[in-house]
Amino acid sequence: MDIQFSDADLAFRDQVRDFFKEHFTDELAARLANPKTFKDAIIEWQKVLANKGWIAPNWPVEHGGTNWSTAQEYLYERERAVAGVPDVLPFGLKMVGQVILAFGNEEQKQKFLPRIYSSDDWWCQGYSEPGAGSDLAALKTRAVRDGDDYIVNGAKIWTTYAQYADWIFCLVRTDPEGKKQSGISFLLIDMSTPGITVNKIESIDNYHSLNEVVFDNVRVPVANRIGEENKGWTYAKFLLAHERTAIAEVAKSGRFLSELKAIANTEISGGKSLMEDTMIQQRFANIEIELMALEYTELRVLSGFAEGKGPGPESSLLKLKGTEIQQAIQQLRMDLAGYYSGVLQGELSSSELGHEFGDRARREYMYGRAATIYGGSNEVQKNITAKVVLGL
Ligand SMILES: Cc1cc2nc3c(=O)[nH]c(=O)nc-3n(C[C@H](O)[C@H](O)[C@H](O)COP(=O)(O)OP(=O)(O)OC[C@H]3O[C@@H](n4cnc5c(N)ncnc54)[C@H](O)[C@@H]3O)c2cc1C
């Protein structure tokens, strides 16, 4: 791995910085933070990125990729985190888009990739089922061939943003016999097809991002199957490695840690700043050391991308440590906010008490519980690491 910043890299960094300053306005940030305006705002922002040509850096150049070096990709992510710019929605650009690029046929590439790139289609991920989360290969949603179509029956659960989605990519069982991994296929399903119902699931943070998606005799053209029938497990695993790399959010954790330092330096307790407490200093130091180590793992993965390698088992390590660090930061934010983080929603908010970061501390802590579950739980990542990395 060789990562050095040339003058051209630093000029690129300034270009990214200026672009975010000009286009990512406070007004847009406010609309993104509001659940009522989130959908339109994120599409608007992704279109700005697409027009600039920066929406899908890792795609091949002929499909709109940037061909950035590892250094450029690293600098882009740094600047994005510092400016508080959200990551793009992963389901189209970082998940199914990568699968279509790697395993889709020419017709599928022509049909789906441009609309993913322009954010004209909103995608969601139909992997998990009530009885198939960690043991994903146990999935039961059934697809039975009927001429040029499959008839799909079953249910997916925890489907993020299915309520907005135009399309869902699904793992379905096309062969119930034999080894469970070998009877799965990968289908692209239009959410407006008759027989699909989306049921809302409200999460602990009172936010609606999760859903159950039920399929009742849903007709899906065979032309919407990626690759071969019963080979879906191979494509599914490829996608999961991309998902885990995206979850690590190293640069964002770095920004949050800087924000917390500023708070710890200014908040006074017992006549001293919180930062003067040696226990607090130690917690900052521990998180910072872990984050630095993770940053190097991320760079290894990024330089692997630059050499044309896909993410390997390191993506499990990135997911595991990345989410542990995110939760350590969320816990620290709660502790720094103290009583103010305990004010309940629907009652007086901490902002009304002149302490707005208490609300944020609680909200991020609540949603943050999910990070060690989604994308494959951390216990399962430990199993993968033990087997594939350590050979146990
Ligand atoms: C906020 C959020 C968003 C999500 N979004 C999506 C989405 O958009 N699309 C989608 O398809 N899925 C999504 N998921 C689902 C997610 O991938 C699953 O929740 C996850 O894979 C765990 O599955 P499960 O919930 O069925 O838990 P289970 O598999 O039932 O696991 C329960 C517990 O047992 C542990 N466990 C299970 N097996 C083992 C083992 N072999 N060894 C050690 N421990 C084990 C787990 O770590 C966990 O602690 C989302 C989940 C959350 C929380």
Side-chain angles (χ1 to χ4, degrees), residues 90-379:
F91 307 107
L93 290 151
K94 296 192 176 180
M95 295 188 190
V96 74
Q98 297 287 359
V99 171
I100 295 171
L101 281 162
F103 306 106
N105 59 36
E106 215 32 57
E107 207 178 307
Q108 290 166 338
K109 287 181 187 168
Q110 299 294 333
K111 177 171 175 184
F112 293 110
L113 293 177
R115 292 183 62 83
I116 292 174
Y117 193 91
S118 63
S119 299
D120 285 324
D121 284 337
W122 186 301
W123 283 81
C124 64
Q125 177 185 25
Y127 271 31
S128 307
E129 295 183 9
S134 303
D135 187 13
L136 184 58
L139 61 95
K140 290 198 168 65
T141 294
R142 190 78 169 93
V144 177
R145 193 74 183 254
D146 180 33
D148 288 339
D149 294 334
Y150 287 106
I151 308 291
V152 178
N153 280 288
K156 296 290 174 180
I157 199 161
W158 316 124
T159 321
T160 303
Y161 294 136
Q163 75 270 33
Y164 300 144
D166 303 297
W167 287 84
I168 181 168
F169 56 90
C170 269
L171 296 180
V172 293
R173 183 152 306 282
T174 33
D175 183 0
E177 308 296 329
K179 208 171 150 228
K180 57 188 178 182
Q181 282 83 356
S182 53
I184 293 171
S185 298
F186 195 109
L187 291 188
L188 313 180
I189 304 180
D190 184 338
M191 288 291 279
S192 65
T193 319
I196 299 181
T197 312
V198 177
N199 299 317
K200 171 179 173 177
I201 301 173
E202 199 169 299
S203 43
I204 192 173
D205 56 354
N206 290 4
Y207 190 62
H208 174 206
S209 62
L210 298 174
N211 303 276
E212 177 196 42
V213 182
V214 181
F215 299 88
D216 180 13
N217 286 321
V218 175
R219 202 164 263 280
V220 181
V222 172
N224 286 7
R225 189 190 68 219
I226 294 288
E228 290 179 52
E229 189 171 80
N230 298 330
K231 291 278 161 57
W233 190 245
T234 308
Y235 320 135
K237 281 194 299 182
F238 170 88
L239 181 144
L240 282 174
H242 279 273
E243 176 176 1
R244 287 173 191 145
T245 313
I247 289 172
E249 303 206 271
V250 176
K252 189 168 159 191
S253 289
R255 176 168 67 89
F256 283 178
L257 207 55
S258 308
E259 281 174 12
L260 290 191
K261 276 187 194 161
I263 290 168
N265 278 317
T266 48
E267 284 295 312
I268 305 295
S269 173
K272 289 185 190 165
S273 77
L274 294 174
M275 195 56 118
E276 283 172 81
D277 182 331
T278 47
M279 295 291 282
I280 296 283
Q281 289 171 12
Q282 199 171 29
R283 284 177 65 186
F284 271 107
N286 287 343
I287 297 173
E288 209 152 11
I289 290 165
E290 294 271 8
L291 195 58
M292 278 169 75
L294 188 68
E295 196 169 353
Y296 280 93
T297 308
E298 187 183 55
L299 284 168
R300 282 214 312 270
V301 173
L302 281 179
S303 55
F305 278 151
E307 288 161 20
K309 291 187 217 148
E314 308 90 328
S315 65
S316 288
L317 290 171
L318 271 180
K319 199 267 164 174
L320 192 60
K321 290 310 282 183
T323 53
E324 281 176 5
I325 292 169
Q326 286 161 31
Q327 289 187 344
I329 291 173
Q330 287 151 5
Q331 180 68 61
L332 182 56
R333 196 192 288 276
M334 286 284 273
D335 294 343
L336 294 180
Y339 297 131
Y340 293 102
S341 63
V343 186
L344 292 174
Q345 267 159 353
E347 298 180 11
L348 196 60
S349 75
S350 74
S351 314
E352 288 169 277
L353 298 170
H355 226 281
E356 56 195 63
F357 88 89
D359 286 338
R360 178 170 166 201
R362 185 190 57 250
R363 207 176 48 239
E364 289 185 0
Y365 177 87
M366 291 296 192
Y367 187 76
R369 301 305 87 201
T372 45
I373 302 171
Y374 58 60
S377 76
N378 281 23
E379 290 75 18

Side-chain angles (χ1 to χ4, degrees), residues 22-58:
E22 186 183 344
H23 295 278
F24 192 74
T25 59
D26 290 347
E27 187 271 332
L28 178 62
R31 279 192 290 129
L32 284 164
N34 180 345
K36 290 196 180 102
T37 46
F38 167 74
K39 182 188 178 193
D40 289 345
I42 191 76
I43 292 174
E44 181 184 318
W45 171 242
Q46 293 198 171
K47 281 184 179 293
V48 171
L49 282 180
N51 288 337
K52 181 70 182 168
W54 286 353
I55 190 99
N58 289 317

